[in-house]
Amino acid sequence: QVQLVESGGGSVQAGESRRLSCAASGFPYSNYCMAWFRQAPGQERERFATISSGGGMTYYADSVKGRFTISRDNPHRTLYLQMNSLKPEDTAMYYCARPTTMFRCLGSPSEYSNWGQGTQVTVSS
């Protein structure tokens, strides 16, 4: 029943911007913190952005801090990721994820119960 559907990925040039969306359904979305992960070929899945249930608190990994912004629209059950100043090293499959515990979004991938199918972002130099 839980569904997370990412969209907005594609091929972009370094320095450009892109916005990803994640449509959530099948659970009380506004009660859960949410996270964005990404995984490049041969790399471990990286949690790089999280947001509290109400959107008032956010966390970013150093790799994206200052360039990416996570946000959410609770009435429309949508999670967003604004990516600016994209770099080739941002190339990865991007996933939104729902944690097992509604308020715990600072853990490893094993602490998340649901994932979207992913959307590919490719940044060329």
Side-chain angles (χ1 to χ4, degrees):
Q1 181 176 19
V2 173
Q3 280 195 22
L4 299 171
V5 182
E6 301 95 339
S7 61
S11 297
V12 299
Q13 297 287 325
E16 294 183 343
S17 299
R18 198 80 169 182
R19 188 178 77 158
L20 306 184
S21 298
C22 171
S25 62
F27 68 98
Y29 173 71
S30 62
N31 290 347
Y32 281 77
C33 62
M34 295 289 291
W36 284 100
F37 285 77
R38 65 185 183 180
Q39 188 167 29
Q43 303 293 316
E44 192 165 27
R45 190 163 295 194
E46 173 195 21
R47 175 176 53 77
F48 64 87
T50 62
I51 188 167
S52 60
S53 60
M57 295 180 64
T58 58
Y59 161 83
Y60 301 96
D62 288 342
S63 57
V64 307
K65 188 173 293 184
R67 299 187 299 120
F68 290 10
T69 302
I70 186 172
S71 63
R72 63 193 297 162
D73 181 350
N74 282 345
H76 294 92
R77 305 185 308 277
T78 305
L79 181 71
Y80 296 103
L81 179 70
Q82 179 65 45
M83 304 183 293
N84 297 330
S85 301
L86 282 162
K87 305 174 180 179
E89 50 262 48
D90 294 319
T91 295
M93 186 73 74
Y94 283 71
Y95 303 89
C96 63
R98 170 190 178 241
T100 303
T101 301
M102 64 177 67
F103 54 86
R104 287 205 156 105
C105 273
L106 298 178
S108 66
S110 66
E111 301 300 311
Y112 288 79
S113 295
N114 301 99
W115 302 80
Q117 83 288 347
T119 185
Q120 178 69 34
V121 175
T122 301
V123 185
S124 59
S125 60

